Amino acid sequence: MMLNYIKYVVTMFLISIVIAVSGYSAENYKNFKTAVYCRAYETKEMGDLNWLESRWETISQQVKVDKIYLETHRDMLIVDEETITKAKKFFNDRGIETAGGITLTVNERNRFQTFCYSNPEHRQKVKQIVEYTAGLFDVVILDDFFFTNCKCQMCIQAKGDKSWTRYRLDLLEEASRELILKPAKAVNPNVKVIIKYPNWYEHFQGLGFNLRAQPALFDGLYTGTETRDPVRSQQHLQQYQSYLIFRYFENLKPGGNTGGWVDTGGVPYMDRYAEQLWLTLFAKAPEITLFDFRQMLRPFSADDHRAQWQGKRTSFDFDEMIKPVQSGNGETVTPTTFARAAGYTLEKIDAFLSELGQPVGVKSYKPYHSTGEDFLHNYLGMAGIPMDIVPEFPAEEKLIFLTESAKFDTALVDKIKGQLIDGKNVVITSGLLRALQNKGIRDIVELEFTNRKALIKDFVVGRNPVIQATEEVLIPQIQYLTNDSWEEISCLDNGIGWPILHSAEYANGVLYVLTIPDNFADLYNYPAEALSRIKQTILADFYLRVESPAQVALFVYDNNTFIVESFLPEDVNVGIILKDTVDELRDVLTGDVLSGEKITGWGGRATGEKRYETTVKPHSFRVFRCK
Ligand SMILES: [Zn+2]
C-alpha cells in the first residue's frame, strides 16, 4: 500500500516535471499534431546543446510542437549516432516525440540530383542509410526525393526498350521493397516507414513515384501541401491544391495519409503561408509538418509580409499575429519569426476544426499514372466546385467529372455509357473530348473538337442577356449537330457562337461537355453567371452551391458544415444557395444567423432553393453550419 502510494507520488512528480519543462505540450492543439522537420544540416548541429537550446526556445515559445523529425541523411551528409541520440534525448526530455527522416538526394542543389537505382554502389548506400535510420527510430519518413531523374549510361542500358516512365516505375517499386522496406524491417521489426510525396502529382510516374504500388507497400503516406506563389513560382500551383492533394492521397490509401507538410518558401505575403496551413487542415490532415527547423527561425517583417489588405480583420490578421504571447513558463514573448505565423494560424484553426465532418466533393476519376490537362482540378476548385480525385472509377456516383487524364483508362467510353444507361450523369472536359473523339465517344454523341479557336468575351446563359467575361478568353471551337445536342452556356464572337457547357442525352442520363480555355487560368475570367450555371449542373446533388466570381472556393463536409474561402485581394459578395429544407444558416465563428430569400424561377414558380447574400473579406474564409 505504502509502496503504491510512493510510486504514485513519484509518478505524479515526474509527470509534473515533464509538463513544466515541456511548456506547451500539456495544452497543444486538440485536432491535429504539429511536427517540425529538421534537415541533416541542422540535426548535425544538435550535438551542441547550447546551439539547440536557444533555437528551440525561440520556436517553442511561438508554436506548440508535438513531434520532431530528425533527418539522418541528405546530400551524402550522414549525422552521427551520438548527435542523433543527444538530440532525441533533448526533445524526449521535453515531452516531444521524435521520428527519423531521410532525404535520398546525392546533391539537392544540383537540380535535385537523386540516387541512381541502376547503380549497385548507390543501391548499397541507400540500403545502409535506411538500416542506420531504422535502427534509431520507430517511425521513419522519406522526404520528397525517393524518385529518380538519373539518365546515366547504366540507366540507359538497363531501361532497354521500356519508356522512361515504365522503367522508373518498375525500378522504384523494386527499390521500395528491397532497399527501403525489407532492410528497415530487418533492423527494426516495429519500424513504420512513411513515404512523403511532393506536390507535382501529375508527373510522378515519369520519375518513378508509383502511386499504384507504393501506398500498399508503405506503412503510411505523407503529403506535400505547399503551393507557394501561384503566379511567380515555376510550378504555378493553384492555392486549392493544398487541400485537394491531401484528399487525393487519402483516397490512395484510406486512413493512411498521415499528414500534410508546408514550407515557408514562395510566400509573397504572410496570408499565403497561413492559407497553405489551413487548407491542409480543412482537408483533415491528422498531422501538420512545418518545414523546417531553420525556416521556423526565419524572421518576418511588416515590410515584406504584411499584405495591402491587412487592417480589415481578415482571417490571417498580421497585426494580431505579431502581438506578444505568453510562453509556457509564463514569459511574455514578442513574435519574431515564421514559427509565430504558424502558431497563430494553427491556434485559430484548431478552435473550430472539430465542428467539421468529413470532406466531400465531386468525384473525379484519375487513373493511376495518368496525365492530361495537368492540375486542372485545382482551377475548378478555385472556381468554387469542390473536387475529390479518386484512382478508381466511382461507378456509384450520380455524377462523375472527368478531365483529359481519364483517357488513360482504355475502357473509359464503355464505363461512361454504363453510367448514362443507369440514369447517371457524366461531365467531361473539352480536353477529354479531344482525346476520345476517335476512340468511341461518337457512339454517345457526334461532337467534333475542331482545330479552330475563338477569342471570346460575351457569354449567354439560358434566356438571360449577354454578359461579359472580365478578359478575352481563347477557347477551342466544338462543333455539334443541330437538335442532336444542346448548348447550355454559349459564348459569342463577331456574330457566331460556340458551346461553353454542352449537353447530350443518351439512354437515361446526360453527358455534359465543359469547354476548358486554352489557358486554364482563363476559367477565372468566366463571368460569375456562367460559373453559377456550371456549378448548378455539376453540384446538382449537393445541398448547396455558392454564386460568386472565381477564386472563391467551397469546402463541403458531410455534417452540414461548409467553408467559403476567397483568394481575391478585395471583399467579394457571395450568394449561398441552399435547398429550402434548410431552416437555419449560421456563421460558426461569429454565431450570426443569416437570412435567406426564396428563389423564384421562370413564371414566378418556386425553385425549392433559398439564397443567402453575404460577403467574404480578402484572403479570408467563413465557416457555416446549416440546420
Ligand atoms: Zn543511373
Side-chain angles (χ1 to χ4, degrees):
M1 190 71 186
M2 191 60 191
L3 194 65
N4 277 342
Y5 178 73
I6 291 170
K7 264 192 197 164
Y8 171 79
V9 170
V10 170
T11 307
M12 289 317 285
F13 177 68
L14 289 175
I15 289 173
S16 64
I17 288 181
V18 168
I19 291 171
V21 296
S22 62
Y24 278 124
S25 75
E27 39 167 320
N28 285 3
Y29 313 113
K30 296 184 295 291
N31 296 293
F32 49 87
K33 273 192 190 180
T34 304
V36 172
Y37 192 89
C38 309
R39 305 181 312 159
Y41 297 115
E42 282 71 47
T43 307
K44 158 172 90 71
E45 304 297 334
M46 291 181 181
D48 176 354
L49 291 178
N50 290 327
W51 183 96
L52 176 53
E53 181 114 44
S54 63
R55 283 163 179 80
W56 175 245
E57 191 176 277
T58 302
I59 294 173
S60 61
Q61 283 172 340
Q62 300 183 91
V63 58
K64 302 165 187 175
V65 180
D66 303 286
K67 187 173 177 180
I68 296 282
Y69 289 100
L70 295 169
E71 190 176 85
T72 58
H73 170 272
R74 177 179 295 245
D75 298 346
M76 308 307 270
L77 168 69
I78 294 179
V79 183
D80 66 75
E81 188 170 343
E82 192 192 336
T83 302
I84 297 273
T85 308
K86 258 188 171 174
K88 262 174 82 171
K89 184 175 183 319
F90 175 89
F91 289 111
N92 293 339
D93 285 351
R94 284 158 181 76
I96 312 288
E97 219 179 297
T98 48
I102 300 174
T103 290
L104 290 169
T105 45
V106 170
N107 184 357
E108 190 182 353
R109 291 179 185 91
N110 178 27
R111 296 201 159 177
F112 302 143
Q113 186 189 346
T114 65
F115 283 95
C116 170
Y117 295 89
S118 313
N119 178 335
E121 279 170 36
H122 277 216
R123 291 172 63 93
Q124 190 54 30
K125 184 80 190 168
V126 168
K127 193 163 166 265
Q128 277 169 5
I129 295 165
V130 168
E131 286 167 341
Y132 170 60
T133 312
L136 295 168
F137 296 98
D138 286 337
V139 173
V140 175
I141 193 166
L142 305 181
D143 184 13
D144 286 357
F145 298 89
F146 182 42
F147 65 88
T148 180
N149 51 18
C150 188
K151 281 187 181 170
C152 72
Q153 284 295 337
M154 258 184 263
C155 284
I156 291 170
Q157 194 144 37
K159 176 181 98 65
D161 294 334
K162 287 183 178 179
S163 66
W164 281 109
T165 292
R166 190 69 257 163
Y167 175 63
R168 287 170 171 174
L169 280 171
D170 295 344
L171 183 65
L172 286 213
E173 182 182 341
E174 182 268 348
S176 300
R177 291 177 210 274
E178 301 302 325
L179 306 182
I180 310 282
L181 294 162
K182 274 189 199 166
K185 309 252 170 184
V187 170
N188 178 357
N190 295 322
V191 75
K192 299 238 176 299
V193 185
I194 312 290
I195 181 164
K196 189 232 161 182
Y197 290 120
N199 56 17
W200 37 280
Y201 64 91
E202 293 277 5
H203 306 141
F204 278 0
Q205 58 283 352
L207 294 100
F209 273 134
N210 191 329
L211 294 185
R212 186 196 293 271
Q214 286 170 334
L217 295 175
F218 282 86
D219 297 294
L221 312 181
Y222 218 92
T223 308
T225 52
E226 54 246 321
T227 44
R228 311 193 180 106
D229 186 330
V231 178
R232 280 169 39 193
S233 80
Q234 283 189 15
Q235 288 186 291
H236 311 288
L237 301 177
Q238 302 307 292
Q239 297 92 321
Y240 187 78
Q241 184 177 323
S242 290
Y243 164 87
L244 184 61
I245 191 175
F246 186 89
R247 297 310 311 161
Y248 174 36
F249 292 173
E250 174 67 16
N251 292 333
L252 295 172
K253 188 177 176 74
N257 189 1
T258 57
W261 171 306
V262 177
D263 66 23
T264 68
V267 171
Y269 41 86
M270 197 59 101
D271 314 49
R272 187 73 276 272
Y273 178 56
E275 283 167 356
Q276 298 174 72
L277 297 173
W278 71 53
L279 288 165
T280 303
L281 296 170
F282 290 174
K284 289 278 168 144
E287 180 177 287
I288 189 147
T289 288
L290 305 171
F291 186 92
D292 60 350
F293 190 84
R294 170 195 52 146
Q295 292 185 11
M296 284 301 101
L297 297 165
R298 180 181 163 192
F300 59 71
S301 72
D303 284 349
D304 292 337
H305 299 112
R306 191 179 183 280
Q308 82 260 14
W309 51 79
Q310 284 295 327
K312 300 179 86 174
R313 304 190 68 81
T314 47
S315 290
F316 181 83
D317 188 330
F318 192 92
D319 306 324
E320 279 291 313
M321 186 270 292
I322 58 172
K323 282 187 180 163
V325 283
Q326 291 280 310
S327 83
N329 54 19
E331 254 180 86
T332 302
V333 179
T334 301
T336 50
T337 74
F338 268 64
R340 186 58 204 147
Y344 166 80
T345 305
L346 299 178
E347 279 156 35
K348 190 153 188 168
I349 304 307
D350 190 43
F352 67 84
L353 205 59
S354 62
E355 298 274 339
L356 308 175
Q358 279 307 301
V360 292
V362 176
K363 293 273 191 292
S364 185
Y365 167 48
K366 177 174 165 55
Y368 293 110
H369 314 322
S370 63
T371 54
E373 293 180 325
D374 298 1
F375 301 100
L376 176 62
H377 296 95
N378 301 298
Y379 292 84
L380 293 156
M382 292 295 287
I385 301 168
M387 282 281 144
D388 194 22
I389 303 174
V390 292
E392 307 286 349
F393 191 81
E396 69 290 349
E397 293 296 308
K398 283 193 192 158
L399 182 140
I400 298 174
F401 181 83
L402 300 171
T403 68
E404 189 190 346
S405 58
K407 72 185 178 187
F408 275 68
D409 182 338
T410 51
L412 186 68
V413 172
D414 284 340
K415 289 178 182 171
I416 294 174
K417 277 185 192 170
Q419 295 299 108
L420 300 173
I421 289 167
D422 279 355
K424 295 164 181 166
N425 298 338
V426 178
V427 181
I428 68 170
T429 60
S430 46
L432 182 59
L433 173 68
R434 181 186 53 207
L436 296 180
Q437 67 175 347
N438 296 318
K439 295 196 172 155
I441 196 87
R442 287 174 202 269
D443 213 20
I444 297 173
V445 58
E446 291 175 89
L447 296 176
E448 178 92 23
F449 182 102
T450 70
N451 287 325
R452 299 189 300 271
K453 305 282 180 195
L455 193 59
I456 51 107
K457 199 164 183 184
D458 293 339
F459 282 66
V460 181
V461 184
R463 294 159 185 265
N464 299 314
V466 170
I467 34 168
Q468 288 211 317
T470 42
E471 301 278 345
E472 282 188 321
V473 173
L474 189 67
I475 57 145
Q477 294 181 15
I478 293 172
Q479 200 165 284
Y480 61 97
L481 305 180
T482 305
N483 292 336
D484 181 53
S485 59
W486 304 91
E487 290 183 16
E488 303 283 334
I489 303 174
S490 315
C491 59
L492 311 173
D493 181 41
N494 208 15
I496 317 184
W498 301 273
I500 288 289
L501 182 66
H502 202 73
S503 73
E505 288 179 19
Y506 179 85
N508 308 305
V510 183
L511 178 76
Y512 293 93
V513 179
L514 176 63
T515 301
I516 301 298
D518 279 26
N519 178 350
F520 301 165
D522 277 339
L523 280 168
Y524 303 163
N525 293 321
Y526 282 18
E529 294 83 348
L531 292 173
S532 295
R533 183 70 186 80
I534 294 167
K535 292 174 199 172
Q536 212 176 349
T537 302
I538 298 181
L539 301 177
D541 294 313
F542 282 65
Y543 71 93
L544 85 158
R545 62 181 189 279
V546 171
E547 295 189 342
S548 70
Q551 305 197 65
V552 176
L554 171 65
F555 303 90
V556 183
Y557 299 85
D558 66 358
N559 66 341
N560 291 327
T561 56
F562 62 94
I563 296 173
V564 180
E565 177 170 4
S566 171
F567 298 95
L568 294 168
E570 63 275 322
D571 285 357
V572 61
N573 294 322
V574 300
I576 299 171
I577 314 294
L578 296 175
K579 296 260 187 293
D580 66 8
T581 48
V582 171
D583 289 329
E584 185 188 278
L585 178 63
R586 186 181 288 269
D587 183 317
V588 169
L589 302 182
T590 63
D592 295 346
V593 173
L594 285 77
S595 58
E597 291 201 4
K598 287 205 168 169
I599 303 174
T600 50
W602 199 59
R605 267 182 287 254
T607 58
E609 291 176 326
K610 269 189 200 166
R611 182 188 176 88
Y612 298 76
E613 284 289 342
T614 188
T615 56
V616 182
K617 289 177 185 170
H619 289 272
S620 292
F621 58 81
R622 293 184 62 186
V623 186
F624 296 100
R625 176 181 287 283
C626 301
K627 260 203 251 173

